[in-house]
Amino acid sequence: MRMTQSDMVTYANAFAQIKITGRIDPALKTAALNAVRRMEMT
């Protein structure tokens, strides 16, 4: 459950950064893609 919540926060943060700044930090992009892939596996 903790990993799922952490993944939700990660990709929410990524989408927020894109919406606010129009770009995304490469490290955050990698973390968000990994979070989305983990969510697809469940």
Side-chain angles (χ1 to χ4, degrees):
M1 185 66 161
R2 291 182 104 171
M3 184 60 103
T4 302
Q5 290 174 338
S6 178
D7 286 344
M8 287 180 186
V9 170
T10 301
Y11 61 77
N13 190 10
F15 286 123
Q17 187 178 53
I18 293 168
K19 183 161 177 88
I20 293 168
T21 66
R23 61 182 188 84
I24 188 168
D25 181 62
L28 181 57
K29 179 181 178 181
T30 302
L33 288 173
N34 289 337
V36 170
R37 287 184 187 118
R38 278 192 296 271
M39 290 296 283
E40 288 177 347
M41 291 175 16
T42 57

